[in-house]
Structures are given as C-alpha cells and as structure tokens.
Amino acid sequence: YAGNVDRIPDVFASIPQQERPDKPASGQPGDDALTFLLAGTDRRSDVPTTGEDAEADQFVQGAQRTDTIMLLHLTADRQKAYVISIPRDSWVPIPGRGTTKVNAAYSLGGPSLYVRTIEQLTGIRIDHLAVIDWSGFTALVDAVGGVTVTVPQAVYDSARKKMWTAGPHHLDGAEALLYVRQRYGLPGGDFDRVKRQQNFLRALMNEALSQGTLANPVRLNRVLDAVTEAVSVDDTLDNGELRGLALSLRNLRQNDLTFLTVPTRGIGREGSASVVYIDERRAQSLWNAVRRDDLPTYLKRYGK
C-alpha cells in the first residue's frame, strides 16, 4: 500500500535551511515526536491533483488555496495524537509576500512556501507534509461506506443552495464535501466550519478503525487503497517510514485523538477582506507545548 502513495518533490529542500526551526536535541522532550502539516486544497480541477491518480499538476500558482490547515502532532510514544486547526482566514506574515490570509501561502508559492509560512508562524519544525484535494477526499469517504454526522440545528447554505436539517446525516463523499466546506449560514462562520471539519475527521477515523472495517478484509483493502491513493506526501517520507509509522500507531483509536484550534482574539477587516486575528500570547504557549511534546499541560491550563 505504501507504494501507492504519491510523493511531492523538494518540499523541504527549497526552504532556506537557516530559517527552519530546530528539532529538540536527542534526549530532550519531543525529540522522537512527529509533526505533520496537513492541507486540504480547493483547486477546482476536473481530474485529481493529489494521490496516485493525479492527472493535473499538483500546484498551479494562483489556482488553489488551502481550505483546511491542520497540524497533526504524534507524541513520542505514539500513544496520543493532537490535531490543531488554523483558520484559513488567519492574518499572518508569509515570507517574501507580506501579511495576508494564511491560506494564500499555498496559492502563492506551493507546498514549500506553505510549510515555510507555518514553520515561521509556529516555530515548530515540520517533519512531513500531507495534501489531499477534493477528489481524494470524496473517494476516501466513499471507501469507508460514508460517514454519519449530526447537525445540531437546521442551517441553510446559501452558497450551495443546500438545506441541512437537524439530526443525523449519513454522508457519501460528495455530500461530505458540502458539509465540511459550508461557511455561509453557520452562526460562527469559519469558526463553525473548523468545528465541522474536526467533527467530521473524528467520525471518519472512527469509521475507518471500526471493527466492521478492521475485521473485513475486503473493506479494509478498499479503505487502505483509498487512503494511499488519495493523499500526496513529501518525498522525504519513504515507504519504510510509512510502514513503521503505521505499525507504531496500530493501537491508536478515536479516544486517543484530541482536536484543538489555535487561540484567536476575534475577527476584523484588512481592506476589503474579513480576517481572523491569532492570539499570539496564548498561541505561543500552544506552540511551546507542541515543541515540548507536552500538550496535556497546555490543555489543563487553557482547554481546547
């Protein structure tokens, strides 16, 4: 299955190495932890742009932004995982491009500028990058047989003319994409969209790791094929490391996964754009906790 995974060339090689944050020294807290930068891209392509079936260029300047921005931190003992969402409208410095919305980094300079931006924002050295586009997302959801989510109250998505009634919804890939991309009609706008994305990933993980999947060879094969064929990763993540990572995470379940969102201090306007301002003081505490591999201490003090 590892051989299915598409590799993105030279993601880290083109970043000025003197600018990159250091990894903790051997023997220091966090030296064996891993941090992935995840990207869900919104390129409106008729054919896949990520994964083994990609037929279009992975990056075309100005053609795509990162609809979903997350850091995945795997603890050194591989017993816990933390997913930290960064709202796509966060107003941040992008190296060489001034200050703008964080989701513009991928559009302006592709995977390398995206990694460079997040490293400079957080001070965390990114170990690996994983990217999935709309085609890969829908294929993955369909492979697990769809995912059930609960909509707490009826909302109307005016952008896509979609009414979501209150209650449970079992979503196929196409419906799931509508669900995680909705912003209009949600009381909290992009903040609620972040919550939806987190809730959906939690449900997707639960479905993928359910007994119904793990005990059924045909279904498990379908899921593993979909995961490995839909996602693109940086070319420093080789097959051996992928296999070792899968083995080390074999006991990870939904309860071992914690979702957080970078602390913010509200929204505002920069010119005609609506933006999100990161709470830099509290965010620094979060990034320090990631670097020390000690997120429980941060959560005890601040919560999610």
Side-chain angles (χ1 to χ4, degrees):
Y1 294 106
N4 291 341
V5 179
D6 178 58
R7 298 316 202 277
I8 308 170
D10 302 326
V11 172
F12 299 103
S14 59
I15 301 174
Q17 295 306 297
Q18 69 274 15
E19 291 184 4
R20 302 199 65 202
D22 294 327
K23 285 280 286 184
S26 179
Q28 296 299 309
D31 64 333
D32 287 329
L34 280 177
T35 301
F36 280 71
L37 177 57
L38 312 180
T41 61
D42 69 352
R43 183 173 173 198
R44 293 153 176 80
S45 174
D46 293 331
V47 295
T49 62
T50 65
E52 187 185 50
D53 296 331
E55 298 177 25
D57 292 337
Q58 169 113 172
F59 168 67
V60 176
Q61 188 169 15
Q64 64 212 104
R65 296 193 175 204
T66 42
D67 246 17
T68 303
I69 303 166
M70 293 177 170
L71 289 172
L72 166 64
H73 181 75
L74 303 174
T75 57
D77 61 10
R78 304 294 188 265
Q79 299 301 303
K80 299 289 183 183
Y82 298 87
V83 176
I84 304 168
S85 294
I86 300 174
R88 67 172 198 163
D89 288 343
S90 298
W91 189 248
V92 306
I94 295 179
R97 308 288 183 148
T99 301
T100 187
K101 292 184 181 183
V102 67
N103 71 333
Y106 199 100
S107 176
L108 293 169
S112 291
L113 185 59
Y114 178 54
V115 170
R116 191 178 171 195
T117 298
I118 300 303
E119 284 193 335
Q120 291 198 15
L121 174 68
T122 64
I124 297 166
R125 189 177 180 96
I126 303 301
D127 294 297
H128 294 296
L129 171 71
V131 183
I132 190 168
D133 69 0
W134 291 351
S135 297
F137 177 84
T138 56
L140 180 54
V141 174
D142 288 337
V144 301
V147 172
T148 298
V149 298
T150 299
V151 177
Q153 63 184 55
V155 291
Y156 179 67
D157 183 351
S158 59
R160 297 172 184 86
K161 307 296 189 292
K162 171 71 175 178
M163 182 71 191
W164 293 94
T165 58
H169 293 255
H170 189 75
L171 309 178
D172 64 16
E175 293 168 324
L177 191 60
L178 294 177
Y179 174 80
V180 298
R181 293 190 63 230
Q182 182 177 357
R183 174 173 51 166
Y184 298 104
L186 297 179
D190 265 344
F191 293 110
D192 281 348
R193 176 154 79 166
V194 166
K195 292 178 183 177
R196 278 193 167 197
Q197 291 171 351
Q198 293 179 346
N199 288 336
F200 187 84
L201 282 182
R202 187 181 293 109
L204 178 62
M205 178 180 178
N206 196 44
E207 193 67 41
L209 297 179
S210 68
Q211 277 302 110
T213 297
L214 297 179
N216 184 327
V218 174
R219 187 174 180 186
L220 181 59
N221 175 74
R222 188 168 64 238
V223 171
L224 289 173
D225 260 339
V227 171
T228 54
E229 290 181 1
V231 176
S232 293
V233 301
D234 66 272
D235 61 1
T236 70
L237 184 59
D238 62 30
N239 288 352
E241 189 174 357
L242 269 176
R243 287 192 294 269
L245 185 61
L247 185 63
S248 70
L249 296 173
R250 64 190 180 279
N251 295 319
L252 200 71
R253 293 296 181 269
Q254 182 183 5
N255 291 339
D256 302 315
L257 180 65
T258 301
F259 285 91
L260 306 87
T261 301
V262 63
T264 62
R265 54 184 176 85
I267 61 174
R269 301 200 73 82
E270 297 288 342
S272 61
S274 175
V275 302
V276 172
Y277 296 111
I278 291 176
D279 183 333
E280 295 179 7
R281 182 183 63 82
R282 276 191 55 190
Q284 192 58 54
S285 296
L286 174 58
W287 309 140
N288 287 340
V290 174
R291 286 192 292 270
R292 294 193 307 267
D293 198 24
D294 186 23
L295 280 155
T297 298
Y298 172 87
L299 290 168
K300 184 176 181 180
R301 180 175 181 183
Y302 293 110
K304 301 177 183 180

